[in-house]
Amino acid sequence: METPYGKEKETTLQALTVASSLMRGIQNDLRQSIQKEDRTPVTVADYGSQAVICKILNDAFPEDSIVAEEDSTELSKPKHAEVLSRVTQYVNASFPSISSGEICQWIDLGSGDPSHRYWTLDPIDGTKGFLRGDQFAIALALIEGGTVRVGGLACPNIPLDTGGGKQIHGGLFLAIRGQGAIQSDLAGDSGRKIRVSDSDLPSRAILVESLEPAHSDHQLNIELMEKLGISRSSIRMDSQAKYAILARGEASLYVRIPSPQTPGYREKIWDHAAGSILVEEAGGRITDALGRTLDFTCGKTLEKNYGIIVTNGRLHRRVLDALGPLLP
Ligand code: AMP
Ligand code: MG
């Protein structure tokens, strides 16, 4: 009998592997980034990653819509012709003789609407981390009827033990609902199951949080750690790599409350869908700051949720209880 979601799993793996190999080529060629209208940077790598992933998904599942972070509006402007030609050059390494026009069309396959069944993609989550040479992730997930079914993260800079004391950089994380979570190298080899930590002592916990003070409330996390008796310093890290280290037991809580700079911020689906299933399938738990399930049925944002709380499961209730009185 075929394993449920077998084709989705293979396609996710293929998409993430192809996109991470494109990324390896680009890493030393970071000079060109474009400012989007919201003033956030977008790079040759974001566009290249989105183009190849959307193409691979669309070939395998032409009926599915794709909701991705980028589109080709800025990239197609004449003033960005040089950036587009770089994107084309990198994509051509995996897909020879594809024109710039076609690549823009592939990128725009990601402008679908969240429907009953859709994929959501962040072609580079943590662009700022990518530009700094720190952590970033390529994040892809399949959502059906509001439930994340499949999630994959490629984290090209994450340290990875491949056994026998050998450490490399670059890991791929994959979870299928009901089938557990696995970690492998970026080629999809040396796979093994991962689990969250089983510690239920808050004082021994390690908290992981965004590096960017504009993306979450660092001061509130300091107060929360004090209240829980956590003495070890937090790990600050960009992107959904935070979910990956929690899923493999290196941290046991991730707290993301909107920063005082942007108190009304609503989280984007592509920033949490893949990470959420990874942690759940590794035995952990995720809710918003009020203990509510994340609601992936409201479009591109988690409109009905406030903040994101991720734990190894055992600590969840205590973290929510300690957090409640600290919320603004
Ligand atoms: P991180 O690397 O965890 O800081 O998260 C990166 C993600 O933060 C990006 O993909 C953005 O979509 C998202 N983001 C942008 N602005 C904000 C904000 N004001 N608050 C929270 N997240 C944000
Ligand atoms: Mg992102």
Side-chain angles (χ1 to χ4, degrees):
M1 209 179 76
E2 238 180 82
T3 322
Y5 293 92
K7 184 176 172 194
E8 285 82 351
K9 175 183 171 183
E10 288 314 314
T11 307
T12 300
L13 260 172
Q14 187 201 353
L16 292 177
T17 313
V18 171
S20 7
S21 93
L22 182 122
M23 217 66 75
R24 259 197 298 279
I26 300 181
Q27 279 226 290
N28 302 319
D29 184 14
L30 302 176
R31 285 151 292 141
Q32 280 150 330
S33 73
I34 297 178
Q35 287 259 324
K36 286 192 283 187
E37 262 173 21
D38 63 5
R39 308 186 66 79
T40 57
V42 54
T43 68
V44 171
D46 292 78
Y47 290 123
S49 168
Q50 179 157 328
V52 298
I53 292 176
C54 288
K55 165 70 175 158
I56 290 167
L57 285 179
N58 191 247
D59 281 354
F61 301 103
E63 309 288 308
D64 292 353
S65 57
I66 309 170
V67 183
E69 183 168 18
E70 310 301 341
D71 63 56
S72 74
T73 316
E74 275 302 312
L75 184 64
S76 318
K77 292 184 178 162
K79 65 176 177 185
H80 295 311
E82 207 191 318
V83 177
L84 178 56
S85 102
R86 303 296 278 169
V87 175
T88 308
Q89 179 198 327
Y90 285 114
V91 172
N92 282 170
S94 307
F95 298 88
S97 352
I98 301 299
S99 70
S100 295
E102 281 170 287
I103 287 169
C104 286
Q105 284 170 13
W106 291 3
I107 291 170
D108 291 334
L109 289 170
S111 301
D113 287 320
S115 49
H116 174 72
R117 175 179 152 119
Y118 66 94
W119 296 84
T120 187
L121 167 69
D122 195 340
I124 294 194
D125 179 35
T127 306
K128 289 176 182 165
F130 174 71
L131 289 168
R132 265 191 254 107
D134 288 341
Q135 292 304 326
F136 67 97
I138 307 168
L140 179 62
L142 172 70
I143 296 172
E144 252 180 0
T147 302
V148 186
R149 289 282 162 198
V150 178
L153 291 177
C155 303
N157 287 339
I158 209 166
L160 190 82
D161 268 324
T162 52
K166 237 184 83 190
Q167 211 184 53
I168 58 167
H169 282 268
L172 213 144
F173 300 83
L174 193 73
I176 316 287
R177 181 73 58 198
Q179 297 177 33
I182 54 168
Q183 161 185 280
S184 66
D185 67 18
L186 285 175
D189 298 325
S190 317
R192 67 169 177 90
K193 281 219 167 194
I194 50 171
R195 292 261 338 144
V196 293
S197 84
D198 58 9
S199 163
D200 57 3
L201 283 176
S203 59
R204 302 280 296 276
I206 295 183
L207 178 140
V208 63
E209 61 187 342
S210 181
L211 187 78
E212 291 289 331
H215 291 175
S216 77
D217 191 335
H218 283 169
Q219 181 54 37
L220 183 143
N221 282 355
I222 290 172
E223 291 164 26
L224 177 67
M225 284 168 63
E226 253 173 44
K227 219 170 149 183
L228 291 169
I230 299 178
S231 53
R232 292 199 265 185
S233 330
S234 67
I235 302 176
R236 288 188 176 165
M237 177 184 278
D238 298 290
S239 85
Q240 284 169 76
K242 290 187 276 297
Y243 283 100
I245 65 160
L246 203 145
R248 69 185 189 188
E250 284 162 29
S252 43
L253 67 142
Y254 167 21
V255 176
R256 187 182 184 99
I257 303 300
S259 155
Q261 300 171 34
T262 52
Y265 185 81
R266 284 295 183 264
E267 297 290 340
K268 301 285 196 303
I269 53 174
W270 50 76
D271 284 328
H272 300 285
S276 69
I277 185 173
L278 184 72
V279 161
E280 287 179 330
E281 285 299 317
R285 205 174 152 206
I286 177 166
T287 65
D288 74 357
L290 304 175
R292 299 174 295 203
T293 306
L294 301 191
D295 186 342
F296 286 99
T297 65
C298 319
K300 292 184 181 175
T301 58
L302 296 169
E303 199 56 52
K304 294 194 183 141
N305 293 109
Y306 175 73
I308 306 271
I309 311 300
V310 195
T311 71
N312 65 351
R314 291 180 164 221
L315 293 173
H316 210 83
R317 192 66 258 165
R318 260 177 291 175
V319 172
L320 288 178
D321 289 346
L323 180 67
L326 302 177
L327 293 175

